[in-house]
Amino acid sequence: MAIIKIDNVDQFNKEIKEGKVLVDFYADWCGPCKMLAPIIEQVAEENPDLKVLEVNVDNVPDLAKEYQVMSIPTLIMFKDGKQTNKAIGLQPKQQLEAFIK
């Protein structure tokens, strides 16, 4: 499944409603975010039942504030609209796979 870029709060709320959703809070200027991006792409490809969203904290600051994203990258896992897990910082692939399970 392709990674979905989030542009606004309404789109975000619609996308997290159903199923397993991994949300990547990032910024274009963030070095660790750039290092994490290919790992997330790989995990997204290998887990077709997982929806992956990208939220640029500079473009959608309201979401970052709502989910208390203080540093990036921050990954938040949702299941059927409910937050189930949160990780901050660069995650190696193995750790990311454990995180989404």
Side-chain angles (χ1 to χ4, degrees), residues 39 42-43 91-101:
I39 300 169
Q42 206 175 2
V43 168
Q91 306 291 315
K93 184 173 182 232
Q94 203 172 1
Q95 218 170 320
L96 184 57
E97 287 171 336
F99 175 78
I100 64 172
K101 292 293 181 247

Side-chain angles (χ1 to χ4, degrees), residues 9 25 55-68:
V9 175
F25 287 89
V55 177
N56 185 323
V57 296
D58 292 332
N59 297 347
V60 198
D62 294 350
L63 278 176
K65 190 175 174 190
E66 182 179 341
Y67 289 97
Q68 299 171 340

Side-chain angles (χ1 to χ4, degrees), residues 34-65:
K34 289 177 183 163
M35 292 162 61
L36 185 60
I39 300 169
I40 289 176
E41 282 174 30
Q42 206 175 2
V43 168
E45 280 173 27
E46 293 168 5
N47 295 274
D49 62 325
L50 179 71
K51 186 187 288 186
V52 180
L53 309 180
E54 281 187 344
V55 177
N56 185 323
V57 296
D58 292 332
N59 297 347
V60 198
D62 294 350
L63 278 176
K65 190 175 174 190

